[in-house]
Each structure stands twice: as C-alpha cells, then as structure tokens.
Amino acid sequence: MKLPFANFKYWMNRGELAKFTVALHNYWLRVEEVLRMPLAKHDPLTAPIGIVRLMAWERDIEPLDREDEMIFRIRVANAYSFASHGGETAGFKNMFGKFGVDWVEIHEREDQEQWDVVTIETADSDLAQKNWLMNALIRQYGRTCRRYQFNVTYPATLKILTAAFGHRFHFHSASANNETTVSVRKKRIEHNQQVFTASMARLNLPK
C-alpha cells in the first residue's frame, strides 16, 4: 500500500503548514523503509548474496557452473514452487517461463510402447542458449519414472490484417413455359360457292 499524501484546501496548502505536511510525509516514508528492511533482507531477489547462499543451502539449491547471479536468485526464490509442481506440465511451463523461455510445449504418452517418454518442445534459440539450464532443471525437478527429450521447433509469426466490410447478395430466378395449349370449340361451318363464266365472240359483218 502506497503512503498517501495529505492534500489540504488551497487556502491551507501554503506557508508553514505546507512545510510541516511535507516533513511529516517524508518521516513516515522513512519509517516504512525501516519496517520493510527485514523483509528485503529475506527476499532472495534483493537480499545480500551471502544470505541468498544460506537460503540456497536451506532449500537444497546448488550453484551451477554457468549460471549468473540473477539465475541463481530466481532458483532460490522459486525453490518451493518448483519442487511442489515439479514434473507437471503446468509446473514445467511456469519454471521455464521464469528464466525467459517464452514458448514451450510438453507432450506426454505420445508413443504407446514407450509411454514414459516426455517430449519438451521449444524454440531453437531457447534450446541453443539455455540447454544447460533446462537439463539441470529436469535433472532436479523431473520425475524419476519419466524420460525426457527435446524437440526443436521453429515458430513463425503470422500477421493478418483485418477490416470491416459489408456485402449484399440478391438472386432472382425467372422461368418461361413454352408449351401453349389453345382450346378451340367445335362448330359447324357452312360454305356456298357459285362460279359464273362469260365469253364474247367477234362477228364479221358483210360490207
């Protein structure tokens, strides 16, 4: 909890009263620092390295040859959680994440015959840089009835741009029936026809 600062009204936040408020706030900040000092001495991430080594002996942590001071402090600070969740899938992911291994997958019982083999899948860069550390963690916190192997994967980053769009679609269908039926009523038809023919002959009269 952060120590709040006393803010007076504008007609009081001036002169000697304002100076006294600042001095009183600084005094309680100093008291808070003194009270938190024992807690800082017992924090493996901030305590002197001598005290951290005593904590490491108490928590069964042995220094590694290639590790730096920060990795050693992280191992000591998380010794209890590493030991309580050692061998579990979530425990391994949390453990490797504490040391900067961002991407890791645990595969168990992939082979029906060699069911005790556990495959740890991680990126090639993490395995190349922290292979010694991961092996040390597996030897200390891995289960004795399991065999562990590494599988290197090259993760690729895929970027997809998305945008909102609208679309309307209408489909109209029309059909024509070419078969036409004409209904004709039966009716009697009467017809009369007459033909008249006329002809003219030329007569030669005597002179």
Side-chain angles (χ1 to χ4, degrees):
M1 180 178 179
K2 187 177 180 181
L3 182 64
F5 188 82
N7 292 320
F8 296 102
K9 299 296 182 180
Y10 65 92
W11 63 83
M12 298 178 62
N13 194 16
R14 64 182 64 181
E16 298 297 329
L17 184 59
K19 295 180 181 179
F20 178 75
T21 303
V22 174
L24 189 62
H25 183 76
N26 294 333
Y27 170 78
W28 286 112
L29 287 178
R30 180 59 180 171
V31 172
E32 182 183 8
E33 182 181 355
V34 173
L35 294 177
R36 290 181 179 271
M37 187 178 301
L39 299 178
K41 295 298 181 180
H42 289 82
D43 186 4
L45 299 177
T46 58
I49 191 62
I51 298 179
V52 177
R53 292 192 180 96
L54 293 177
M55 295 180 183
W57 174 82
E58 180 185 10
R59 302 175 184 182
D60 194 20
I61 300 296
E62 296 182 0
L64 302 177
D65 296 334
R66 300 176 57 181
E67 70 177 351
D68 54 13
E69 181 178 333
M70 183 52 62
I71 294 179
F72 179 66
R73 289 177 178 271
I74 294 175
R75 291 175 58 215
V76 176
N78 299 275
Y80 292 141
S81 62
F82 289 171
S84 59
H85 300 286
E88 300 178 1
T89 300
F92 270 128
K93 289 183 178 181
N94 180 51
M95 183 189 308
F96 293 145
K98 295 291 186 181
F99 299 100
V101 181
D102 298 329
W103 185 84
V104 62
E105 292 292 337
I106 310 295
H107 304 283
E108 298 182 352
R109 301 181 183 272
E110 292 184 321
D111 194 342
Q112 295 181 357
E113 296 181 358
Q114 298 181 358
W115 55 268
D116 60 332
V117 176
V118 178
T119 302
I120 301 177
E121 185 178 0
T122 184
D124 178 67
S125 58
D126 292 332
L127 185 62
Q129 298 175 3
K130 301 177 181 178
N131 184 22
W132 58 275
L133 178 59
M134 299 174 71
N135 286 325
L137 295 175
I138 291 174
R139 283 194 301 267
Q140 184 173 3
Y141 300 107
R143 294 177 178 175
T144 56
C145 58
R146 293 290 188 270
R147 290 181 296 167
Y148 296 90
Q149 64 180 7
F150 289 101
N151 186 15
V152 177
T153 303
Y154 299 89
T157 302
L158 179 63
K159 295 182 179 180
I160 300 177
L161 299 179
T162 59
F165 67 95
H167 175 68
R168 292 181 179 180
F169 178 77
H170 299 280
F171 179 77
H172 302 277
S173 176
S175 61
N177 188 5
N178 295 327
E179 297 180 359
T180 303
T181 303
V182 179
S183 300
V184 180
R185 294 184 299 173
K186 295 180 179 181
K187 185 178 180 181
R188 184 179 179 180
I189 300 176
E190 295 181 358
H191 176 68
N192 295 323
Q193 182 179 6
Q194 295 178 356
V195 178
F196 298 93
T197 303
S199 63
M200 295 180 67
R202 184 178 182 183
L203 298 178
N204 296 319
L205 300 175
K207 295 181 179 180

